[in-house]
Amino acid sequence: MRVELASPLHLRVTTTMFNNVVAACAQCSLTRCPLVSWLIDGFYRVGVCVSFVSMVVCVGVLCTAAVQIAAHIGAKAGYPLADAWSMVLEVQKYLGLAHFDQRATPHVGSDSQHSRLSRRLVGMPDPQVLRPIIPGVTLPTGHLWHYLLALSICAIIHELGHAFAAARARVPLRNLGVFVMGIYPGAFVELCKTKLDQASVGSRLSIVCAGVWHNAVTALLVFVLVRSGGLGAVFSHTGWTRVTNGVVISDVASNSPLHNRIPLLSTVYRIDDVYLQSNYSNTWNKNDRFGETSIARWTNILTATTNRDTNTAGYCASTVENMDDGLCCEMSPEFPLGESPDNDVFCFERFAQSSKLSLAKHTPMCFDLRSVLERSDAASRCQSDSDCLQPNQRSHLYTGKQKSSICVLPSSPFASSRVVRIYYHLPNNQTEHMLLYAGSPTELWLDVQVSSLCPRYPFLPHTLPSWIETLMQYILSFSLAFCLLNALPAYYLDGDLAFKLLITAVEQRTRVARATKCNILASADSKPLYKKELADSGTEEPVELSRGGQMVYTAVTALTTALLGWCIVGSVLLLAL
């Protein structure tokens, strides 16, 4: 084992202790069986095909991302890029790569065309195809260990794919190792270059594409394991109980406003008017779009909805209770909850069910948040102002003031100032409790770890299921990222050599086809042409690309590298802007 510091931020650890293990696994007696050997070779041949499909898909995604990032940067910089954005949407529609919600966010600030376009772009749910991973910025600090471990696992699986495929082709493994560059871990393998160059083009393609293929298989296995419920079944048989009527609180971040306000192991069964029960959409509401499992419903409600999506009715309030101080509805990115000094006062708007009413101009209204939302009885809910004017339902609330009652809902143009009602049961207690949360629902989703499993025994760690589930999600994401990005024909990536070998294989096949045709036309006493190309000796000398092939390789690789570099730099610029 050798440890070296390649640079102040680049630590490498290499070893040869696993060389014999890899070779023994690849050349064991089982793999010498003709059927098993044929299956393994077919496995890696499929991997070559999948790698080139990934290459084409990722190039299309990269082109879309490059134009998209340019449109976003231009919009944020104040340039009129409406035509450019229309072009992005047309490209996405043609390729079928992405679908975006084009609804504009509520108008705040300047009325200029540029600011409206910028807000429309910024208001989309996930405007970037590629997003840089920066701990503390785009990655929650609480997920740092998940991130590092998942990245290390995916990198090791990727490199072991190269090592096993090389051992199958009888290309010796010189060493393998791991490295840490800054805070980002990785892995690598070093093969015998002489033997690698002497291997056939097909064998070299299998070796180069094996890493991408192993990541694709890993992503598929993790997806099946999680989607089929296999992971939950393992926990169910080892001391945990599955909860189907909601999600179990397994951990709350210490800096969260919900810390010490909601007990651990409580079951959250409802958010606003949406229940988290598994298969609720199939059982009760056919139009429900929040997902089938309780975890999916929790995630979708907190990350992809607004107040109007999760509230099926508004709340009756009296205009005499309007506490408008001129500040509560003055919301901005700096003050997403309004500038009112009273934290209990929040901005409301009329709850309009019809599109005609929803387009009407709303007069700012401010009410005490708890006073309005804690009226949980059915009589206090409404669809329109007329529902609040029925004396038999409203007299106990506003005696003599029914005509001043209106139907309202908390309002804010910013996702970071949403009001959420959380309904939960305490552990071993079915008493209903309701908690109000005003703030960013995404931060709530990040700060509160939930699971669909609850430990049956007190000595079992209640955070383990959610920790493993989160790790699996990162492994799935990183495996797909390794599968796509490494297949790109860009410098220093596997796709670079794979694309060059593809051109080499095409040129060799063309030369062999020409040689075969010449040999058929040659006389019997003529010396066969291109004997070297026709011979099947099992090994090949390195074949230089033709001038045309070299030009194609250089042009495609340089263009793809430039696109990838622009997407990386542009993504960072978007974060800075």
Side-chain angles (χ1 to χ4, degrees):
M1 180 181 293
R2 185 178 63 180
V3 179
E4 60 178 335
L5 190 63
S7 68
L9 297 177
H10 187 187
L11 179 67
R12 289 165 53 100
V13 179
T14 58
T15 181
T16 59
M17 67 173 58
F18 299 105
N19 292 10
N20 294 333
V21 175
V22 173
C25 292
Q27 302 293 339
C28 65
S29 58
L30 180 62
T31 61
R32 296 193 187 102
C33 173
L35 178 59
V36 175
S37 179
W38 179 82
L39 289 175
I40 295 176
D41 292 339
F43 174 79
Y44 284 108
R45 281 194 293 269
V46 172
V48 173
C49 298
V50 171
S51 297
F52 284 110
V53 171
S54 298
M55 180 184 296
V56 174
V57 171
C58 195
V59 168
V61 172
L62 197 67
C63 293
T64 303
V67 179
Q68 185 188 72
I69 290 173
H72 279 263
I73 291 178
K76 288 192 175 185
Y79 293 99
L81 290 178
D83 294 337
W85 181 246
S86 299
M87 180 176 65
V88 173
L89 296 178
E90 290 298 324
V91 171
Q92 291 171 344
K93 181 179 179 181
Y94 176 76
L95 296 177
L97 295 176
H99 302 280
F100 292 101
D101 183 3
Q102 301 180 42
R103 295 174 298 176
T105 54
H107 187 81
V108 178
S110 172
D111 290 335
S112 69
Q113 177 185 1
H114 307 332
S115 61
R116 288 199 301 270
L117 176 61
S118 177
R119 279 192 300 276
R120 181 178 292 121
L121 297 177
V122 175
M124 292 180 182
D126 190 9
Q128 289 181 247
V129 174
L130 301 178
R131 189 178 298 274
I133 302 297
I134 304 175
V137 180
T138 60
L139 176 73
T141 54
H143 290 185
L144 184 59
W145 289 112
H146 301 88
Y147 166 78
L148 295 176
L149 183 57
L151 186 60
S152 301
I153 291 173
C154 293
I156 291 173
I157 290 174
H158 181 93
E159 297 303 330
L160 285 178
H162 294 309
F164 279 114
R168 286 287 303 169
R170 299 189 181 279
V171 176
L173 175 65
R174 292 181 57 189
N175 56 62
L176 56 85
V178 295
F179 67 86
V180 177
M181 183 173 293
I183 63 171
Y184 298 99
F188 62 92
V189 295
E190 292 183 8
L191 306 176
C192 179
K193 190 177 185 305
T194 302
K195 292 291 185 180
L196 181 62
D197 291 339
Q198 291 176 354
S200 65
V201 174
S203 297
R204 279 182 278 170
L205 271 174
S206 296
I207 295 171
V208 172
C209 297
V212 169
W213 177 227
H214 275 221
N215 287 129
V217 172
T218 301
L220 179 62
L221 293 177
V222 172
F223 177 80
V224 171
L225 178 65
V226 176
R227 186 68 177 177
S228 65
L231 183 63
V234 172
F235 281 110
S236 297
H237 288 85
T238 53
W240 279 267
T241 302
R242 178 172 293 278
V243 177
T244 59
N245 64 333
V247 295
V248 178
I249 303 295
S250 59
D251 191 26
V252 180
S254 58
N255 60 344
S256 171
L258 295 185
H259 186 64
N260 292 331
R261 291 186 61 193
I262 182 168
L264 297 181
L265 299 182
S266 297
T267 301
V268 177
Y269 65 93
R270 175 182 163 191
I271 296 179
D272 290 337
D273 296 331
V274 181
Y275 286 85
L276 302 182
Q277 177 181 339
S278 298
N279 297 321
Y280 181 83
S281 57
N282 298 331
T283 307
W284 304 103
N285 186 358
K286 302 299 181 182
N287 297 322
D288 187 285
R289 58 182 178 83
F290 297 110
E292 297 181 0
T293 66
S294 56
I295 296 293
R297 297 175 70 78
W298 163 270
T299 300
N300 292 333
I301 290 171
L302 294 182
T303 60
T305 59
T306 64
N307 277 328
R308 289 189 176 272
D309 296 324
T310 57
N311 285 275
T312 59
Y315 297 85
C316 288
S318 174
T319 55
V320 299
E321 292 182 323
N322 189 354
M323 303 171 64
D324 187 10
D325 55 2
L327 296 176
C328 81
C329 290
E330 293 295 324
M331 298 180 177
S332 63
E334 293 79 14
F335 299 97
L337 297 177
E339 299 184 18
S340 176
D342 189 348
N343 294 330
D344 293 331
V345 176
F346 201 81
C347 186
F348 283 75
E349 65 179 354
R350 291 179 182 269
F351 184 88
Q353 186 73 11
S354 66
S355 58
K356 180 178 179 180
L357 289 176
S358 63
L359 294 175
K361 184 177 180 181
H362 298 292
T363 303
M365 295 170 287
C366 301
F367 297 100
D368 184 274
L369 197 60
R370 293 185 177 275
S371 175
V372 175
L373 266 63
E374 287 184 350
R375 297 165 186 162
S376 58
D377 58 316
S380 64
R381 305 301 298 275
C382 55
Q383 296 290 336
S384 63
D385 291 351
S386 60
D387 294 339
C388 299
L389 299 178
Q390 300 177 15
N392 61 336
Q393 292 185 348
R394 308 301 166 198
S395 58
H396 65 286
L397 290 177
Y398 310 115
T399 303
K401 300 183 179 65
Q402 288 87 351
K403 293 184 179 181
S404 63
S405 297
I406 54 177
C407 188
V408 295
L409 192 70
S411 173
S412 173
F414 300 100
S416 59
S417 60
R418 182 177 158 191
V419 177
V420 178
R421 290 175 291 128
I422 303 173
Y423 294 86
Y424 64 94
H425 295 146
L426 295 175
N428 302 320
N429 190 338
Q430 294 301 312
T431 303
E432 180 183 286
H433 295 268
M434 194 267 283
L435 181 67
L436 286 179
Y437 174 86
S440 170
T442 303
E443 292 183 3
L444 173 63
W445 178 73
L446 293 173
D447 292 340
V448 180
Q449 299 296 317
V450 299
S451 175
S452 59
L453 298 167
C454 183
R456 288 196 293 264
Y457 310 106
F459 60 85
L460 292 176
H462 58 269
T463 59
L464 182 61
S466 62
W467 201 94
I468 296 296
E469 288 171 356
T470 304
L471 178 64
M472 289 297 178
Q473 293 174 4
Y474 275 102
I475 291 178
L476 176 60
S477 299
F478 287 146
S479 294
L480 291 175
F482 272 65
C483 178
L484 290 175
L485 292 179
N486 264 291
L488 275 175
Y491 295 124
Y492 306 111
L493 297 179
D494 294 342
D496 176 22
L497 184 54
F499 185 65
K500 187 174 184 179
L501 288 171
L502 177 64
I503 298 176
T504 302
V506 172
E507 291 186 343
Q508 283 189 353
R509 185 176 290 272
T510 303
R511 284 196 295 267
V512 170
R514 290 175 180 174
T516 304
K517 184 177 180 180
C518 291
N519 284 333
I520 292 175
L521 298 177
S523 59
D525 57 347
S526 299
K527 184 178 179 180
L529 300 176
Y530 296 96
K531 184 176 181 181
K532 182 178 180 181
E533 283 80 359
L534 293 174
D536 186 13
S537 60
T539 61
E540 298 180 8
E541 294 295 330
V543 179
E544 295 294 334
L545 293 177
S546 65
R547 183 176 180 182
Q550 185 65 40
M551 290 178 62
V552 171
Y553 162 74
T554 303
V556 171
T557 306
L559 179 60
T560 308
T561 304
L563 281 175
L564 181 60
W566 162 246
C567 289
I568 294 174
V569 174
S571 298
V572 176
L573 285 176
L574 279 179
L575 289 178
L577 293 175

